[in-house]
Amino acid sequence: MDLATLIGIFGCAAAVVYGIVSGDQGVAALGNFWDMPSFLIVFIGCLMCMMTMSDSIGDFVKSLKSFLLTIKTSSSNEGDTIHKIIDLANVARKEGLLQLEEAAGEIDDDFLKKGIMLIVDGTDQELVSSILETELNCIEDRHGKVIGFWESLAGMGPAWGMIGTLIGLINMLKLLDDPSSIGPNMAVALITTLYGSLIANWLCIPIATKLRAKNKLEIRMKEVVCEGILSIQAGENPRVIEEKLKSFLAPSVRDEVLGGGNTEQGGEG
């Protein structure tokens, strides 16, 4: 579980609550910041608008569920992936490409397994590159669609907050002859703006940013896989493959991640 996401979300909420209760009213002030009509206008309005923009209800629900991805940690990393590729390169170098079929049965990464099976089947290198690149582009497009959902929702928050504010101001102006109603109606008008800002800056923008970072990491790992597979198919030396794949890592972490590499001397031929 990604504690950074959870700590960040709850930390922001705690900061807002502290700001509310630190005044003279104390905890009782929390009641001033709850208004059901404002909640319905902003939260429900945003969600219904996003549902309208989605291809289907299922697509809408799936996009909302993508929030769970921000609190999950990746089960693999570049170092593990590079080690696997180097192991496969050693097998191919010593025993031939056909022996990779047996090794592929132990691979959990579907993308890596697909690439290995393509070269085992004798697929032309250019076609392998094209197939993997197409799948990579499709993955990035799907991720981009989900990220776009949260970015659009972030834009909807302040917009619907402003709609609620205008409703509150109209109600206030209609009752200017009753001074006692001005304060409550103005408060409701401002609460909708607060709700809209919270949707955008507390939830949607951080979620979209986190998903974009995870997408960047996943795409980079798959680019490592593509480069490794094509290098294995080309019959390159495992040591050369390792050095090539190291270029995907930051210099500060190359030795740390690959310090335990098991490229074998026997790979040279």
Side-chain angles (χ1 to χ4, degrees):
M1 182 173 292
D2 188 348
L3 292 179
T5 300
L6 294 177
I7 292 173
I9 290 176
F10 287 109
C12 289
V16 172
V17 171
Y18 174 77
I20 293 173
V21 302
S22 61
D24 295 336
Q25 287 184 281
V27 177
L30 289 173
N32 299 334
F33 290 83
W34 171 251
D35 184 74
M36 179 58 76
S38 297
F39 175 84
L40 293 175
I41 290 172
V42 179
F43 284 86
I44 304 303
C46 285
L47 291 178
M48 293 300 101
C49 191
M50 292 308 302
M51 184 180 292
T52 302
M53 294 170 60
S54 299
D55 295 334
S56 64
I57 293 178
D59 185 60
F60 169 75
V61 173
K62 184 178 180 181
S63 296
L64 283 179
K65 285 183 177 179
S66 64
F67 162 74
L68 298 176
L69 297 175
T70 64
I71 60 177
K72 291 182 179 179
T73 54
S74 177
S75 58
S76 60
N77 56 57
E78 292 112 319
D80 292 338
T81 300
I82 292 175
H83 282 312
K84 288 179 183 177
I85 292 172
I86 294 171
D87 289 340
L88 293 169
N90 279 313
V91 172
R93 185 80 168 180
K94 292 179 179 181
E95 305 175 27
L97 291 177
L98 294 179
Q99 295 302 314
L100 291 176
E101 184 172 6
E102 181 178 350
E106 301 175 1
I107 298 176
D108 296 327
D109 187 333
D110 292 336
F111 188 75
L112 176 56
K113 181 182 291 187
K114 179 177 182 176
I116 293 299
M117 295 310 298
L118 283 172
I119 63 176
V120 167
D121 292 339
T123 309
D124 181 73
Q125 188 171 23
E126 186 174 339
L127 183 56
V128 172
S129 177
S130 176
I131 291 173
L132 295 179
E133 184 177 352
T134 298
E135 182 161 348
L136 199 60
N137 290 335
C138 290
I139 291 172
E140 196 162 16
D141 286 343
R142 289 195 297 269
H143 291 179
K145 184 177 180 180
V146 173
I147 294 170
F149 172 90
W150 289 102
E151 289 176 336
S152 296
L153 188 54
M156 292 293 173
W160 280 91
M162 180 58 65
I163 291 173
T165 297
L166 292 174
I167 292 173
L169 290 175
I170 290 171
N171 288 335
M172 183 188 71
L173 293 173
K174 285 288 186 179
L175 298 172
L176 278 180
D177 56 342
D178 181 7
S180 63
S181 68
I182 295 178
N185 280 318
M186 177 60 75
V188 170
L190 294 177
I191 285 174
T192 56
T193 300
L194 173 63
Y195 288 169
S197 296
L198 285 175
I199 286 178
N201 299 288
W202 176 41
L203 293 176
C204 297
I205 292 177
I207 289 173
T209 302
K210 193 64 173 277
L211 290 175
R212 189 180 295 108
K214 285 181 173 290
N215 169 69
K216 185 177 180 180
L217 177 60
E218 182 175 346
I219 294 301
R220 185 171 62 191
M221 289 180 64
K222 284 180 166 47
E223 288 175 345
V224 169
V225 171
C226 288
E227 189 65 39
I229 288 172
L230 295 176
S231 296
I232 291 173
Q233 188 176 26
E236 295 178 8
N237 189 293
R239 289 194 180 276
V240 174
I241 296 175
E242 179 178 357
E243 291 302 319
K244 182 186 295 186
L245 299 185
K246 274 185 178 181
S247 63
F248 286 89
L249 303 176
S252 59
V253 299
R254 289 176 187 175
D255 292 337
E256 178 183 348
V257 172
L258 294 174
N262 55 356
T263 306
E264 302 176 10
Q265 295 283 353
E268 298 183 9

